[in-house]
Amino acid sequence: MERIPILRMGHFLLVTIQIDLYDRLATNLEADLVQMVNRTGARGVLIDISALNIVDSFMGRILGNIGSMSKIMDAETVVVGMQPAVAITLIELGLELKGVHTALNVEKGMELLKQKIGPAEASDEDDDEDGTE
Amino acid sequence: MERIPILRMGHFLLVTIQIDLYDRLATNLEADLVQMVNRTGARGVLIDISALNIVDSFMGRILGNIGSMSKIMDAETVVVGMQPAVAITLIELGLELKGVHTALNVEKGMELLKQKIGPAEASDEDDDEDGTE
């Protein structure tokens, strides 16, 4: 597999990471996500990692990268479904996922995003400005 | 990987299939989904297959199975994000995915599910009856 699918749900993008991200896959995911944020005017990115039992520094860095990239594209990133062992490993590795919010599951993550972007923005559908392409 | 994560979103369950389903994975997914429908009282199952470029008769049968199982658990199944080549192959294989609805993407699939279960049910949060366990 070369690409992880990104699902659009209203103002948010949802990504489910089910396999270990090797180099190419991670780079593609970063690029796809930023392009998708640009194209759709999404205000939030939800990354579900409930399928990951282990995490390494590479994966931690990728999550941080996605958070930083989304941030400068004016979108918040929420990582959801983190397993306890993964949280322990991340801290032991010294990766605090700065700039990335976390929530227990997708539903809670969506609520968090709705709070972050504000109720007014959440119902506004005219954010994307690439209509001239 | 032994399990495909199932995300709960309100009254619906969302599954993103990103890799080929071999025997064990498919059996686990069927079992997990039925248990999750039972536990959460979900009224709809969304299966995103946008990452699949090819499909075989096994995968077609699994999708049909999930649809039938969900149906007798009183949940509708919607397959979303099917690529044109996959649709062609399914028909050439003689698999019409009976009992399974389809929609272009997750958003349209959610709208379809909300229509199917009716607006009254969609806002009712008291469906699950396993509080005594």
Side-chain angles (χ1 to χ4, degrees):
Chain A
M1 194 180 65
E2 290 286 298
R3 288 196 138 68
I4 292 178
I6 301 169
L7 308 180
R8 185 185 179 180
M9 317 196 70
H11 274 261
F12 308 134
L13 302 178
L14 175 66
V15 181
T16 315
I17 297 178
Q18 301 180 357
I19 54 174
D20 272 335
L21 292 180
Y22 51 90
D23 301 28
R24 172 86 66 87
L25 202 58
T27 323
N28 282 352
L29 179 62
E30 287 177 355
D32 289 351
L33 258 178
V34 177
Q35 277 171 24
M36 195 96 167
V37 167
N38 179 45
R39 212 169 60 233
T40 63
R43 297 298 314 278
V45 176
L46 273 164
I47 304 176
D48 175 81
I49 58 167
S50 57
L52 297 184
N53 296 310
I54 50 168
V55 75
D56 54 13
S57 58
F58 178 72
M59 180 75 89
R61 198 150 48 81
I62 294 298
L63 290 176
N65 279 358
I66 289 173
S68 308
M69 287 177 188
S70 303
K71 195 85 181 176
I72 54 175
M73 299 287 287
D74 194 25
E76 300 285 339
T77 304
V78 179
V79 172
V80 300
M82 191 183 292
Q83 296 200 12
V86 170
I88 293 168
T89 311
L90 281 177
I91 296 304
E92 281 176 352
L93 288 171
L95 297 162
E96 295 175 42
L97 295 185
K98 275 177 189 161
V100 173
H101 309 284
T102 48
L104 196 61
N105 55 39
V106 175
E107 285 191 305
K108 289 193 166 62
M110 284 229 166
E111 281 171 25
L112 181 68
L113 276 179
K114 279 176 189 160
Q115 280 172 23
K116 291 275 172 205
I117 68 171
E121 294 258 10
S123 56
D124 176 19
E125 281 284 331
D126 310 316
D127 266 352
D128 43 344
E129 298 168 352
D130 55 346
T132 53
E133 285 178 354
Chain B
M1 193 181 66
E2 291 284 299
R3 288 195 137 68
I4 292 179
I6 301 169
L7 309 181
R8 185 185 179 179
M9 317 196 69
H11 274 261
F12 308 134
L13 302 178
L14 175 66
V15 182
T16 315
I17 297 177
Q18 302 179 356
I19 54 173
D20 273 336
L21 291 180
Y22 52 89
D23 300 27
R24 172 85 67 87
L25 201 58
T27 324
N28 282 352
L29 178 62
E30 287 176 355
D32 289 352
L33 257 178
V34 177
Q35 277 171 23
M36 195 96 166
V37 168
N38 178 45
R39 210 170 60 232
T40 63
R43 299 298 314 277
V45 177
L46 273 164
I47 303 176
D48 174 81
I49 58 167
S50 57
L52 298 185
N53 296 312
I54 48 168
V55 75
D56 54 12
S57 58
F58 179 72
M59 180 74 90
R61 197 151 48 81
I62 294 298
L63 291 176
N65 280 358
I66 289 174
S68 308
M69 287 178 187
S70 302
K71 195 86 179 174
I72 53 175
M73 298 288 286
D74 194 25
E76 299 285 338
T77 304
V78 180
V79 172
V80 301
M82 191 184 292
Q83 297 199 11
V86 170
I88 293 168
T89 311
L90 281 177
I91 296 305
E92 280 177 351
L93 288 170
L95 296 162
E96 296 177 40
L97 295 185
K98 275 177 190 161
V100 173
H101 309 284
T102 49
L104 196 61
N105 55 40
V106 175
E107 285 191 304
K108 288 193 166 63
M110 284 227 166
E111 281 170 27
L112 181 67
L113 276 180
K114 278 175 190 161
Q115 280 173 24
K116 291 274 171 206
I117 67 170
E121 295 258 10
S123 57
D124 176 19
E125 280 284 331
D126 310 316
D127 265 352
D128 43 345
E129 297 168 352
D130 56 347
T132 52
E133 284 179 355

